[in-house]
Amino acid sequence: MARPDRTERPSPRDTAAVPLPRIPRTAALCGTLAALLAAPLLAAPSASASASPGPPEGGCPTAADAPPKRQMRAEWIASVVNIDWPSEPGLSPDEQRRELDALYDQAQADGLNAVFVQIRPTADAFWPSPHEPWSEWLTGEQGRDPGYDPLAYAVEEAHERNLEFHGWFNPYRVAMHDDPGRLTGDHPARENPDWVFSYGGRLYYDPGVPEVREFVVEAMMDAVENYDLDGVHFDDYFYPYPSGGQELPDTDTFAEHGRGFDDIEDWRRDNVDLLVKEMDQAVHAAKPHVKFGISPFGIWRNASSDPEGSDTSGFESYSGIYADSRRWVREGWVDYINPQVYWEIGLSVADYAVLVPWWAETVEGTGVHLYIGQAAYKAGNDGAWSDPQELSRHLDLNREHPEVLGDVYFSATSLQTNARAAMDRVVEDHYGSPALVPVKEDLGGRAPWRPRVVDAEPGEDGTELTIRPHWHSSPTYYAVYGFDGKPNPHDRWCGLKDPRNMIGTVRASDEGETVFTAPDDDGGRTYYVTALDRLHHESRAAMRYVP
């Protein structure tokens, strides 16, 4: 779907309390006696490790051209108005499943390691929610059961491909039209008409009503509590983008729920802050390992409005939609921030080369991860976007700022259509090797115990490595590295740090043994396998030489 530029006006894209402490994963063994019993196991190296010298003095040199070993590489899969999935309403369950499989397979082929899937686009649900009706984007009729659980399928298939699954929610949008009579009869917006206002031809929940905030958090948390999400994701829609000079119809709400604020705009920002803080608390209270992140509009404030702002002159989310995204980062109310920097390098009103350093400085020292939202939907447009190399140049620039930990592309369909040539360049220039998802240290977790490679046999497509977890460990997935020749101490200590030696990753099987096929193997190679938990902490490596 074509998306207009947002420097002057918003695109129609579909697209505040101290946070609870992050609770580390409970150790498998606890207590003094257990720790003493475990100490010999922790200290004892394997036979192969004991034969190898330690790491080189001064550590391992980093190859200048080595890509990052850890990067978020993701795409948005939008469901509203059937942008990406399902491609149209009313498809059969099998057709919907096949479409999603194809999107996931392409993501995997492009070297991505996560998907951000829109599962609550318009106060509705892609799962059997007790709070809101089935989404009309599934069947064409709001409230109609699609005949299966799309969210359960989407999570399962993402994990099967070892893709992180981030559930993408739109907090306040109720409908893409302004007629409450078109909603299901038992829709909360119809049962509570004082919760809703019409603006710009659409219906929205009023963020200033306390009961609204409580309800939308509860509705979204149903998915968090009942599905194996890796992340909870908000896009840039809080208060609606300005429309035709129309005033927001919330003066009565301000009069009733103003909480002592003198300025209605400060109050609106505080309403959004409260939602962000409360969602952060709710997510981590229920599941401490689940990441909470937001993808705000790419400009917080211009320097002409605030000396802390960016050297830009475009639309400001701070005053335009009351989204104080810089504060969310500084207060630690999000685990990651994913600004939509949807402009080319050199654009005077909103230069990509200005905004990325601004966001890098914003997150510096906060512990909040920074991923850049990339406008794949613009690829092929006139000007800079007519060059398939534009997206790749964005990633070149990102490499100059170590705070940038990855990229998210809008959207999945674009990566298969207008942006295909541009994404091919990205893959060639930047994604030639797999990448592990960055670790968010304060969410807990720990590296699993080192796995075992119990067998290596030739198969139709390469060498089949059979991997077993340590008896004391339940890893989420494995990473496999390959080197030509016999075991080499340098490979063990330094080669594993270079992602160009990583062949791939594979989800750990619930059956105990996991098989990974190493392609194009004519023998005479050494493989190393590490185990990782769901938060991507990596174990020491097991080794297997295949003559």
Side-chain angles (χ1 to χ4, degrees), residues 530-541:
T530 60
L532 296 95
D533 72 347
R534 69 174 306 147
L535 284 164
H536 313 286
H537 299 89
E538 189 174 21
S539 76
R540 296 171 64 193

Side-chain angles (χ1 to χ4, degrees), residues 312-375:
T312 51
S313 55
F315 179 87
E316 299 176 325
S317 64
Y318 179 89
S319 54
I321 54 174
Y322 310 103
D324 193 354
S325 50
R326 184 174 181 270
R327 187 181 186 196
W328 308 335
V329 171
R330 295 293 176 149
E331 298 286 354
W333 297 335
V334 290
D335 295 310
Y336 66 84
I337 198 80
N338 177 203
Q340 298 170 30
V341 188
Y342 283 174
W343 306 288
E344 63 265 30
I345 295 171
L347 181 69
S348 60
V349 67
D351 189 344
Y352 185 93
V354 167
L355 282 162
V356 166
W358 185 89
W359 281 105
E361 183 180 355
T362 296
V363 302
E364 187 176 6
T366 65
V368 173
H369 284 190
L370 172 61
Y371 314 135
I372 303 300
Q374 299 288 353

Side-chain angles (χ1 to χ4, degrees), residues 388-403:
Q389 195 67 24
E390 178 68 21
L391 274 181
S392 184
R393 282 195 286 265
H394 290 193
L395 273 63
D396 289 337
L397 190 148
N398 291 357
R399 289 284 297 276
E400 300 173 13
H401 301 279
E403 297 84 3

Side-chain angles (χ1 to χ4, degrees), residues 4 74 94 103 113-114 138 158 193 201 217 231 256-257 266 271 316 335 431 434 461 481 499 541:
D94 283 345
L103 294 177
N113 53 26
L138 290 166
V217 169
E256 184 177 356
H257 301 292
D266 288 340
N271 291 332
E316 299 176 325
D335 295 310
Y431 293 173
D461 300 316
Y481 304 79

Side-chain angles (χ1 to χ4, degrees), residues 120-162:
R120 184 183 181 269
T122 46
D124 51 14
F126 270 53
W127 73 98
S129 168
H131 305 288
E132 295 177 309
W134 282 107
S135 176
E136 68 176 292
W137 313 116
L138 290 166
T139 63
E141 179 185 339
Q142 189 175 72
R144 181 189 293 175
D145 190 329
Y148 76 118
D149 186 336
L151 178 53
Y153 185 80
V155 172
E156 180 182 357
E157 290 301 310
H159 287 167
E160 178 69 23
R161 294 163 177 79
N162 204 36

Side-chain angles (χ1 to χ4, degrees), residues 1-13 241 297 299 313-315 340-344 347-351 355 375 377-378 381-382 385:
M1 170 174 287
R3 303 173 67 185
D5 190 77
R6 293 198 193 171
T7 56
E8 299 298 336
R9 61 189 179 89
S11 162
R13 169 192 172 189
Y241 278 93
F297 183 77
I299 299 173
S313 55
F315 179 87
Q340 298 170 30
V341 188
Y342 283 174
W343 306 288
E344 63 265 30
L347 181 69
S348 60
V349 67
D351 189 344
L355 282 162
Y377 73 95
K378 286 187 174 180
N381 286 2
D382 292 340
W385 294 99

Side-chain angles (χ1 to χ4, degrees), residues 67-73 113 371 395 399 404-407 430-431 435-438:
K69 181 176 175 177
R70 291 185 179 271
Q71 277 188 313
M72 173 62 75
R73 302 176 181 174
N113 53 26
Y371 314 135
L395 273 63
R399 289 284 297 276
V404 178
L405 297 179
D407 301 87
H430 300 279
Y431 293 173
L436 305 178
V437 173

